Amino acid sequence: MQKLINEPADAVVESLEGLQLAYPHLLRVSFSPHYVARVDAPVRGKVSVISGSGSGHEPLNVGYVGRGMLDAACPGAIFTSPTPDQYLAATRAVEGGAGVLYIVKNYMGGVLNTEMALELAREEGYDVASVLVKDDVAVEAAHNRRGMGAAVLVEKIAGAAAEAGRPLAEVTRLAQRASDQARSMGVALSSCTVPSVGRPTFDLPADQMELGVGIHGEPGRLRLPLAKADTVVEMLAEAILKDMAVRPGTSVLAMVSGLGATPQHELFIVFRRLHAFLQAHGLVVARCLVGNYVTSLDMAGCMVTLLQLDPELIALWDAPVHTPALTWGV
Amino acid sequence: MQKLINEPADAVVESLEGLQLAYPHLLRVSFSPHYVARVDAPVRGKVSVISGSGSGHEPLNVGYVGRGMLDAACPGAIFTSPTPDQYLAATRAVEGGAGVLYIVKNYMGGVLNTEMALELAREEGYDVASVLVKDDVAVEAAHNRRGMGAAVLVEKIAGAAAEAGRPLAEVTRLAQRASDQARSMGVALSSCTVPSVGRPTFDLPADQMELGVGIHGEPGRLRLPLAKADTVVEMLAEAILKDMAVRPGTSVLAMVSGLGATPQHELFIVFRRLHAFLQAHGLVVARCLVGNYVTSLDMAGCMVTLLQLDPELIALWDAPVHTPALTWGV
Amino acid sequence: MSQEISLAHFRAWLLAYAEHIEAIEAQLTDLDAAIGDADHGANMRRGMERLRARLADPGLQCDDIGALLRTVAMTLVSTVGGAAGPLYGAFFLRAAQECQGGSVVTLVQLARMFRAGLQGIQQRGKAQLNDKTLVDALEPAVVALEKAAAEGAPLAVALEAARVAAEAGMRHTIGLQANRGRASYLGPRAIGHQDPGATSLYGLIRTAAETLGAAQPASLASRR
Amino acid sequence: MSQEISLAHFRAWLLAYAEHIEAIEAQLTDLDAAIGDADHGANMRRGMERLRARLADPGLQCDDIGALLRTVAMTLVSTVGGAAGPLYGAFFLRAAQECQGGSVVTLVQLARMFRAGLQGIQQRGKAQLNDKTLVDALEPAVVALEKAAAEGAPLAVALEAARVAAEAGMRHTIGLQANRGRASYLGPRAIGHQDPGATSLYGLIRTAAETLGAAQPASLASRR
Ligand SMILES: Nc1ncnc2c1ncn2[C@@H]1O[C@H](COP(=O)(O)OP(=O)(O)O)[C@@H](O)[C@H]1O
Ligand SMILES: Nc1ncnc2c1ncn2[C@@H]1O[C@H](COP(=O)(O)OP(=O)(O)O)[C@@H](O)[C@H]1O
Ligand SMILES: [Mg+2]
Ligand SMILES: [Mg+2]
Ligand SMILES: [Mg+2]
Ligand SMILES: [Mg+2]
């Protein structure tokens, strides 16, 4: 296993320790239970936005903690949804009196653990809402769709709304709208290797690709011969647009996220075609992100995410953000 | 070859097209010859800082173009130093009347091409200086050392000094000091694959590592069984400190850069040990960078870079920067 | 008089289950790698390690079966994570609620506890039989236990019937397409692979059969 | 009267070299992968493609050998990049300076041009014999050419002597540790591998031997 780790069982803790050492001015890591909180939390009178996911997707979610985005992130074991007590402890640590929004990616584990957390937090008197992210068009049944790249966008939108002082119902509504208007699809050129497993989750010959993969090393729906980047992009974008029903002239945010082992050099080649494709379909690429934003350990490949924009979402997207992985504005 | 590209011969151009589409507000890409210029260049009365390198190291250098850092970057073919005419065209495009500094990584190709560029630019009447970056302690002969991660730091320091309105001699002196005070060493856990070649540059069994690799897929000096992250970090940091002769109490900037295919999760594990190691050696980690800053296509592994700081360099480091890959301040 | 299952029997069961999970961790990993994300083995092992530590803690206040099973539920919920953590947690929590304060349970009570546990899992996870989840191993076991209890079968016979039913249910998942959980993303590609959760759940029933029906529990059985 | 080499001969040489580089690109890649960064093949091919296009351009103003070689130099410098671009560029630039305005050159002049080219490379790159660079193929060829010229040997014989010397020099790099260029980072690990630059440079001499000494240049030789 070609990894820079020590004991696989220690990887998550040690990675969080490194994160803490790298960003002491932005965040505080709690180790028992695991959560990462904004350094100045709780921010009095502000809605708190909390998200969680298994580790191995970095910068999601721990890299999105900071002003203008998440108040706290709960990192689980590798690819494993965090537990209710993590959410509860994070809630206690960052709640500022205006309520809490949990942003949940739609996996059985994500849903079940946050449902429990919601019940427990409400028992403790917290005002908690939740929004489900389910953007993966590779999954046909819409209710069952996985949460993927849209998580980043929903967290940014919700964080900006919270930072602007909007009440919980408003923050929830905006996050829900962002979630509803986002779609993703991914492609893997290699499997990832889970540290505790020590070998690739699936075998993928060098001349093949897995279309419609998730971000946990789940195999995709379809294995095909590896195509040229342009063709791959068209497959992803077509599947997304087919599901989105956006009118020509619509503004979109287009994200190309590497899955961990694909270099920027390639991501820009992907974005080039995506941009042309969207333009040819009459869409306006008003905002974009190209880089490693939602990853799957050391998987090669990428994910395309589109978010239908409107002036309100654009303003929230453009609002200042100061986190390890996204930084702009003042 | 597991890559998201079209024709290997088109990869550099297409990647630059994607870069242009992603960052129209920060940079302008010229395609004949290839260079990437700050969107508001030339900035009148400011020293211009220009750097070049082969493609495949992204974000180096094209991702460091923008206010507070590079006025222009010249991307060569994959792993191939750019040609003199690229430097010359970039110089003509961004020179603002206060002279130009070329930041050159110490490779035969880098040196020879910029030497020619310097001669040509001077013939055209430009005031051009250059600073050589040679930080790789894996190369024993100091004059022959490769330019590696220090390039990012020298470019940031020089860019900040230029942005502050310092004259060419000053900018050059500060860049030279940063270069003199920086050391790096890298380790590969896998080879990279050059697109036009289509297979890994070297074979590395999964249980081995190459210590002291460069950033062009050159094999390292030493092949060893893959050790735990902590041990690997100690090997790199010890080699660097042995060469640096820093006194206890010295402030350093510590950078851990992934080489392209190593996830953040691991980079933080590396940084954790590096931080502890430096502290144990009496050094103060005053600033840090952890992420993919200087890469080698899809190579797994990382590079450690240390820069000895002083108040002047810290102030220049902290100065605002607005580029695709580094952003802070106003 | 019907046979009784003591607190010590339950402790012996949980320890046997922890050992079993450690023994089949690699198998669970492989099964989850094929149709999931390769973490079911690690998740369950992490939960079992923590559970073992809790059970070994001399300060642990668990003087009745309900309290013991509640501790198990809480431990699993806060350490396993993923889908399995809340589901196994729901099983033990609901089972605990069925035997509040009891220091021994009968087969009839045990069947009621398992049924409640199954209901807890289904309430949370909404899985039905043939959705290719751990329900496919648990539900047949519960049905077999209830039948044996109604017939007044001896405890050991009832538990063995449950084990056989759970095993058949587990094997049955091989032929199924998944409707719940991570394997559901695979569509027909999930067919041909045994469900990891059903596999770990079968282990729970199997170790129950090995321990709960024993004349004397395997571990320090002084309390009986 | 000594044999003369015409502009058409030089064009034939350059075209033959371009063809040769395309033929050995994979070999150059492999050699550079072993002790460098695997781009020498692609770099040289890119340069040769561009050169071929330039030479085919009917608007190209190259009525004398000096102008032709200067064009070659500029084309290589602006398309090859890396270490090889400026070094091959220096070779052709300095060679061009030795035959300003000439439309034919003799063996004596050719030897002088090659010597100047070698000096240009060494001025830029500072490599000496045995540093494991293209100098190890070029310098023996220049020496052989000079010797043959001094002895008044026929052109074809002189060029063949140069080719043989270059080939030996190229092979000699196998046993060397590198002192210049990327292979120098490898220390003793570079021993056992033939230098890619020496290999492409040998091709330059070899194609010279095949074309410059011919009675009639291979390509449209009307100008002779
Ligand atoms: N809705 C559900 N109801 C019952 N069991 C489920 C459900 N969803 C998933 N499971 C079970 O959980 C198992 C996977 O557990 P685990 O790998 O630990 O969690 P995750 O899928 O979050 O990685 C599956 O094999 C399946 O048996
Ligand atoms: N200082 C030098 N003098 C002469 N030749 C050199 C020198 N440095 C490198 N070379 C030649 O250049 C070749 C490598 O060329 P190439 O791969 O195109 O460039 P790079 O090393 O920049 O990738 C080497 O094999 C060697 O023969
Ligand atoms: Mg999981
Ligand atoms: Mg090169
Ligand atoms: Mg799983
Ligand atoms: Mg090379």
Side-chain angles (χ1 to χ4, degrees), chain A residues 79-80, chain C residues 37 39 182:
Chain A
F79 290 169
T80 301
Chain C
D37 58 351
D39 64 351
R182 214 171 279 283

Side-chain angles (χ1 to χ4, degrees), chain B residues 178-195:
Chain B
S179 176
D180 291 343
Q181 295 183 180
R183 298 288 185 281
S184 294
M185 185 148 150
V187 62
L189 274 58
S190 79
S191 172
C192 53
T193 296
V194 175

Side-chain angles (χ1 to χ4, degrees), chain A residues 2-5 58 259-263 292 295-300, chain B residues 187-190 229 256-270 290-293 295-303:
Chain A
Q2 287 167 309
K3 284 187 190 292
L4 285 168
I5 59 170
E58 290 73 18
L259 293 179
T262 286
N292 287 337
T295 64
S296 185
L297 287 172
D298 53 353
M299 181 176 270
Chain B
V187 62
L189 274 58
S190 79
V256 173
S257 178
L259 293 180
T262 286
Q264 261 191 32
H265 193 256
E266 297 173 35
L267 299 180
F268 285 121
I269 293 175
V270 167
V290 183
N292 287 338
Y293 293 103
T295 63
S296 184
L297 287 172
D298 54 353
M299 181 176 270
C302 75
M303 177 194 320

Side-chain angles (χ1 to χ4, degrees), chain D residues 9 17 42 63 77-78 82 86 144 156 187 215:
Chain D
H9 278 107
Y17 187 47
D63 292 337
V77 162
S78 66

Side-chain angles (χ1 to χ4, degrees), chain A residues 1-204:
Chain A
M1 175 173 46
Q2 287 167 309
K3 284 187 190 292
L4 285 168
I5 59 170
N6 296 299
E7 291 305 322
D10 300 332
V12 169
V13 174
E14 292 182 355
S15 189
L16 288 172
E17 288 174 359
L19 178 82
Q20 175 65 89
L21 290 165
Y23 300 103
H25 53 297
L26 289 179
L27 47 84
R28 290 277 172 272
V29 179
S30 152
F31 290 93
S32 179
H34 285 165
Y35 64 85
V36 178
R38 214 173 122 155
V39 71
D40 58 347
V43 182
R44 288 278 148 236
K46 188 187 84 67
V47 169
S48 299
V49 183
I50 300 181
S51 187
S53 57
S55 292
H57 305 302
E58 290 73 18
L60 191 82
N61 288 105
V62 295
Y64 298 122
V65 172
R67 182 157 58 84
M69 208 159 165
L70 297 182
D71 291 84
C74 300
I78 294 283
F79 290 169
T80 301
S81 316
T83 58
D85 55 313
Q86 292 177 256
Y87 284 98
L88 191 62
T91 301
R92 291 182 191 134
V94 306
E95 209 269 347
V100 183
L101 175 65
Y102 292 168
I103 295 175
V104 182
K105 284 183 291 306
N106 189 34
Y107 297 95
M108 191 45 62
V111 170
L112 294 178
N113 284 287
T114 48
E115 267 177 10
M116 283 197 176
L118 266 167
E119 289 166 21
L120 295 169
R122 283 178 183 154
E123 271 175 31
E124 293 195 10
Y126 294 109
D127 188 11
V128 191
S130 72
V131 164
L132 211 54
V133 178
K134 38 181 179 178
D135 49 323
D136 186 3
V137 301
V139 180
E140 273 157 26
H143 73 275
N144 197 29
R145 285 183 173 167
R146 295 176 281 214
M148 304 247 291
V152 182
L153 315 182
V154 174
E155 290 167 15
K156 170 68 180 81
I157 300 288
E163 204 72 44
R166 313 257 193 122
L168 181 57
E170 275 276 282
V171 174
T172 305
R173 178 183 66 79
L174 288 159
Q176 186 66 57
R177 191 159 93 223
S179 177
D180 292 343
Q181 296 183 179
R183 297 289 184 280
S184 295
M185 185 148 151
V187 61
L189 274 56
S190 79
S191 172
C192 53
T193 296
V194 175
S196 66
V197 179
R199 57 194 153 63
T201 302
F202 55 86
D203 286 319
L204 187 60

Side-chain angles (χ1 to χ4, degrees), chain B residues 42-274:
Chain B
V43 182
R44 289 277 147 237
K46 188 185 85 65
V47 168
S48 299
V49 183
I50 300 180
S51 187
S53 57
S55 291
H57 305 302
E58 292 72 20
L60 192 81
N61 288 104
V62 294
Y64 298 122
V65 172
R67 183 156 57 84
M69 208 158 166
L70 296 182
D71 291 84
C74 300
I78 294 283
F79 291 170
T80 301
S81 315
T83 58
D85 55 314
Q86 293 178 257
Y87 284 97
L88 192 63
T91 301
R92 292 182 191 134
V94 305
E95 210 267 348
V100 183
L101 176 64
Y102 292 168
I103 296 176
V104 182
K105 286 185 288 308
N106 188 34
Y107 297 94
M108 191 46 62
V111 170
L112 293 179
N113 285 286
T114 48
E115 267 178 9
M116 283 196 176
L118 266 166
E119 289 167 21
L120 295 170
R122 283 179 183 153
E123 271 176 29
E124 293 195 8
Y126 293 110
D127 188 11
V128 191
S130 72
V131 165
L132 212 53
V133 177
K134 38 182 180 178
D135 49 321
D136 186 2
V137 301
V139 179
E140 273 157 28
H143 74 275
N144 197 29
R145 284 184 173 166
R146 295 176 280 215
M148 304 247 289
V152 182
L153 315 182
V154 174
E155 290 167 15
K156 170 69 180 81
I157 300 289
E163 204 72 45
R166 312 255 195 125
L168 180 57
E170 275 276 280
V171 175
T172 306
R173 179 184 65 80
L174 288 159
Q176 186 65 56
R177 191 158 95 222
S179 176
D180 291 343
Q181 295 183 180
R183 298 288 185 281
S184 294
M185 185 148 150
V187 62
L189 274 58
S190 79
S191 172
C192 53
T193 296
V194 175
S196 65
V197 179
R199 57 192 153 65
T201 302
F202 55 86
D203 286 320
L204 187 60
D207 58 348
Q208 306 271 306
M209 62 180 174
E210 282 273 335
L211 211 65
V213 284
I215 52 173
H216 302 83
E218 311 100 311
R221 281 190 85 88
L222 200 63
R223 181 165 294 192
L224 290 175
L226 178 56
K228 289 193 189 306
D230 284 0
T231 309
V232 174
V233 172
E234 287 151 23
M235 287 174 173
L236 300 179
E238 248 159 34
I240 290 172
L241 286 190
K242 207 176 124 195
D243 196 83
M244 260 185 122
V246 279
R247 268 170 307 201
T250 303
S251 285
V252 295
L253 186 160
M255 177 170 85
V256 173
S257 178
L259 293 180
T262 286
Q264 261 191 32
H265 193 256
E266 297 173 35
L267 299 180
F268 285 121
I269 293 175
V270 167
F271 183 66
R272 168 188 171 274
R273 180 66 195 127
L274 178 63

